[in-house]
Amino acid sequence: MKAIRLLNDDLGNSYFESGTLPEYHKIEVEYFNIQTKIEPWQQEQHTAPREQFVVTLKGKLEFTTSEGNTFIIEPGIILIAKDIDGEGHSWKILDGDVWERVYIVPRHNDLDYFVAD
């Protein structure tokens, strides 16, 4: 499955990698939650509150890294948010005003199984 991973470099800048998550890997999780509400602060520059997988169910978004690079998230693309330090990222909805998503929080320091392109 297509995936994009957000990370921090040594200076705290956020950047992204495109790749995939292989099928049939068991990823242990602590919990997950569903969210549809959009808080204004979420669209401003911010870090991920914790390492998490974000599964978009509805919506198309453009994410921007702290260095100004952009990528698109929509259903069928898993976001692995690991930019928990530094300046973080921002996003905006491209179509409509809805972002339905599931946040899945893996156990601390577990592998994410991401394979870069």
Side-chain angles (χ1 to χ4, degrees):
M1 177 163 285
K2 187 172 181 178
I4 295 177
R5 184 166 61 177
L6 266 171
L7 299 161
N8 293 112
D9 65 18
D10 292 337
L11 300 175
N13 298 311
S14 64
Y15 69 95
F16 72 93
E17 302 175 313
S18 297
T20 58
L21 284 174
E23 293 185 40
Y24 303 113
H25 273 83
K26 182 178 177 181
I27 299 173
E28 298 289 334
V29 301
E30 289 191 16
Y31 64 92
F32 76 93
N33 65 311
I34 298 168
Q35 188 170 353
T36 59
K37 186 175 183 180
I38 297 172
E39 301 289 347
W41 67 265
Q42 291 175 315
Q43 294 179 334
E44 299 170 5
Q45 192 93 5
H46 66 281
T47 59
R50 68 199 143 274
E51 293 184 8
Q52 57 192 6
F53 292 80
V54 185
V55 180
T56 295
L57 304 173
K58 185 176 183 180
K60 183 176 182 179
L61 297 95
E62 179 181 69
F63 277 72
T64 304
T65 66
S66 59
E67 294 187 332
N69 298 314
T70 63
F71 61 90
I72 303 295
I73 290 291
E74 58 189 337
I77 302 172
I78 305 291
L79 174 63
I80 305 170
K82 290 186 151 187
D83 63 332
I84 57 175
D85 297 309
E87 296 182 26
H89 61 274
S90 61
W91 54 264
K92 65 181 178 183
I93 297 177
L94 296 178
D95 294 333
D97 59 358
V98 175
W99 185 21
E100 294 178 0
R101 62 226 185 258
V102 176
Y103 292 97
I104 302 170
V105 179
R107 288 195 312 198
H108 187 64
N109 290 328
D110 272 5
L111 295 175
D112 61 25
Y113 297 101
F114 179 82
V115 178
D117 286 342

Short mmCIF file of all heavy atoms in Angstrom, two decimals, residues 8 10 17 20 26 31 39 46 57 62-63 65 79 82 94-95:
data_model
loop_
_atom_site.label_atom_id
_atom_site.label_comp_id
_atom_site.label_asym_id
_atom_site.label_seq_id
_atom_site.Cartn_x
_atom_site.Cartn_y
_atom_site.Cartn_z
N ASN A 8 11.94 14.09 10.83
CA ASN A 8 12.76 15.27 11.12
C ASN A 8 14.20 14.98 10.75
O ASN A 8 14.69 13.87 10.99
CB ASN A 8 12.75 15.60 12.63
CG ASN A 8 11.42 16.05 13.12
OD1 ASN A 8 10.80 15.34 13.90
ND2 ASN A 8 10.97 17.20 12.70
N ASP A 10 18.36 16.27 11.27
CA ASP A 10 19.15 16.59 12.47
C ASP A 10 18.96 18.02 12.95
O ASP A 10 19.23 18.34 14.11
CB ASP A 10 20.63 16.32 12.22
CG ASP A 10 20.92 14.84 12.05
OD1 ASP A 10 20.12 14.02 12.54
OD2 ASP A 10 21.95 14.52 11.42
N GLU A 17 9.29 11.10 2.87
CA GLU A 17 9.73 10.04 1.96
C GLU A 17 8.48 9.36 1.42
O GLU A 17 7.53 9.13 2.16
CB GLU A 17 10.54 8.98 2.70
CG GLU A 17 11.77 9.48 3.40
CD GLU A 17 12.44 8.39 4.21
OE1 GLU A 17 11.73 7.68 4.97
OE2 GLU A 17 13.65 8.25 4.09
N THR A 20 6.09 2.52 0.44
CA THR A 20 4.98 1.59 0.62
C THR A 20 5.05 0.94 2.01
O THR A 20 6.09 0.95 2.66
CB THR A 20 5.00 0.46 -0.43
OG1 THR A 20 6.24 -0.23 -0.34
CG2 THR A 20 4.79 0.99 -1.84
N LYS A 26 2.41 -7.55 10.93
CA LYS A 26 1.66 -7.26 12.14
C LYS A 26 2.33 -6.10 12.86
O LYS A 26 3.51 -6.17 13.21
CB LYS A 26 1.61 -8.49 13.04
CG LYS A 26 0.81 -8.29 14.29
CD LYS A 26 0.79 -9.58 15.11
CE LYS A 26 0.04 -9.37 16.40
NZ LYS A 26 0.03 -10.59 17.22
N TYR A 31 -3.38 2.14 20.67
CA TYR A 31 -4.79 2.50 20.52
C TYR A 31 -5.00 3.18 19.18
O TYR A 31 -4.05 3.45 18.45
CB TYR A 31 -5.24 3.43 21.65
CG TYR A 31 -4.55 4.77 21.67
CD1 TYR A 31 -5.11 5.87 21.00
CD2 TYR A 31 -3.37 4.97 22.37
CE1 TYR A 31 -4.48 7.10 21.01
CE2 TYR A 31 -2.75 6.20 22.39
CZ TYR A 31 -3.30 7.27 21.71
OH TYR A 31 -2.69 8.48 21.72
N GLU A 39 -9.67 21.26 13.91
CA GLU A 39 -9.38 22.41 14.76
C GLU A 39 -8.53 23.39 13.96
O GLU A 39 -7.65 22.97 13.21
CB GLU A 39 -8.63 21.98 16.02
CG GLU A 39 -9.36 20.97 16.88
CD GLU A 39 -10.57 21.54 17.60
OE1 GLU A 39 -10.72 22.79 17.63
OE2 GLU A 39 -11.36 20.75 18.14
N HIS A 46 2.76 22.65 12.71
CA HIS A 46 2.79 21.93 13.99
C HIS A 46 3.51 20.60 13.82
O HIS A 46 3.63 20.09 12.70
CB HIS A 46 1.36 21.69 14.51
CG HIS A 46 0.56 20.76 13.65
ND1 HIS A 46 -0.03 21.16 12.48
CD2 HIS A 46 0.28 19.45 13.81
CE1 HIS A 46 -0.66 20.12 11.94
NE2 HIS A 46 -0.49 19.08 12.73
N LEU A 57 -9.94 8.38 5.33
CA LEU A 57 -11.12 7.71 4.80
C LEU A 57 -11.84 8.57 3.77
O LEU A 57 -12.41 8.07 2.81
CB LEU A 57 -12.08 7.36 5.94
CG LEU A 57 -11.48 6.52 7.06
CD1 LEU A 57 -12.47 6.38 8.20
CD2 LEU A 57 -11.05 5.16 6.53
N GLU A 62 -3.24 18.63 0.98
CA GLU A 62 -1.87 18.93 0.61
C GLU A 62 -1.12 19.24 1.89
O GLU A 62 -1.48 20.16 2.62
CB GLU A 62 -1.80 20.12 -0.33
CG GLU A 62 -0.37 20.47 -0.72
CD GLU A 62 -0.31 21.66 -1.64
OE1 GLU A 62 -0.61 22.78 -1.15
OE2 GLU A 62 0.02 21.48 -2.81
N PHE A 63 -0.08 18.47 2.17
CA PHE A 63 0.80 18.68 3.32
C PHE A 63 2.02 19.46 2.86
O PHE A 63 2.51 19.25 1.75
CB PHE A 63 1.25 17.35 3.91
CG PHE A 63 0.25 16.74 4.86
CD1 PHE A 63 -0.93 16.18 4.39
CD2 PHE A 63 0.50 16.71 6.23
CE1 PHE A 63 -1.84 15.62 5.26
CE2 PHE A 63 -0.41 16.15 7.10
CZ PHE A 63 -1.59 15.61 6.62
N THR A 65 5.94 20.54 4.24
CA THR A 65 6.99 20.36 5.25
C THR A 65 7.52 21.73 5.67
O THR A 65 7.21 22.75 5.05
CB THR A 65 8.15 19.53 4.69
OG1 THR A 65 8.79 20.27 3.65
CG2 THR A 65 7.68 18.18 4.17
N LEU A 79 -0.37 7.86 5.85
CA LEU A 79 0.61 8.81 6.34
C LEU A 79 1.21 8.27 7.63
O LEU A 79 0.48 7.89 8.55
CB LEU A 79 -0.04 10.18 6.62
CG LEU A 79 0.86 11.23 7.28
CD1 LEU A 79 2.02 11.60 6.37
CD2 LEU A 79 0.04 12.46 7.64
N LYS A 82 6.02 11.03 11.86
CA LYS A 82 7.10 10.86 12.82
C LYS A 82 7.87 12.16 13.02
O LYS A 82 8.96 12.15 13.57
CB LYS A 82 8.05 9.76 12.36
CG LYS A 82 7.46 8.37 12.42
CD LYS A 82 8.50 7.34 12.08
CE LYS A 82 8.17 6.06 12.81
NZ LYS A 82 9.24 5.06 12.65
N LEU A 94 -7.87 20.18 -0.03
CA LEU A 94 -7.93 20.60 -1.43
C LEU A 94 -9.34 20.53 -2.01
O LEU A 94 -9.70 21.35 -2.83
CB LEU A 94 -6.98 19.74 -2.28
CG LEU A 94 -5.50 19.88 -1.95
CD1 LEU A 94 -4.68 18.95 -2.83
CD2 LEU A 94 -5.04 21.32 -2.11
N ASP A 95 -10.11 19.53 -1.61
CA ASP A 95 -11.47 19.35 -2.14
C ASP A 95 -12.47 19.36 -0.98
O ASP A 95 -12.39 18.52 -0.10
CB ASP A 95 -11.60 18.03 -2.90
CG ASP A 95 -10.77 17.99 -4.17
OD1 ASP A 95 -10.52 19.07 -4.74
OD2 ASP A 95 -10.37 16.90 -4.59
#
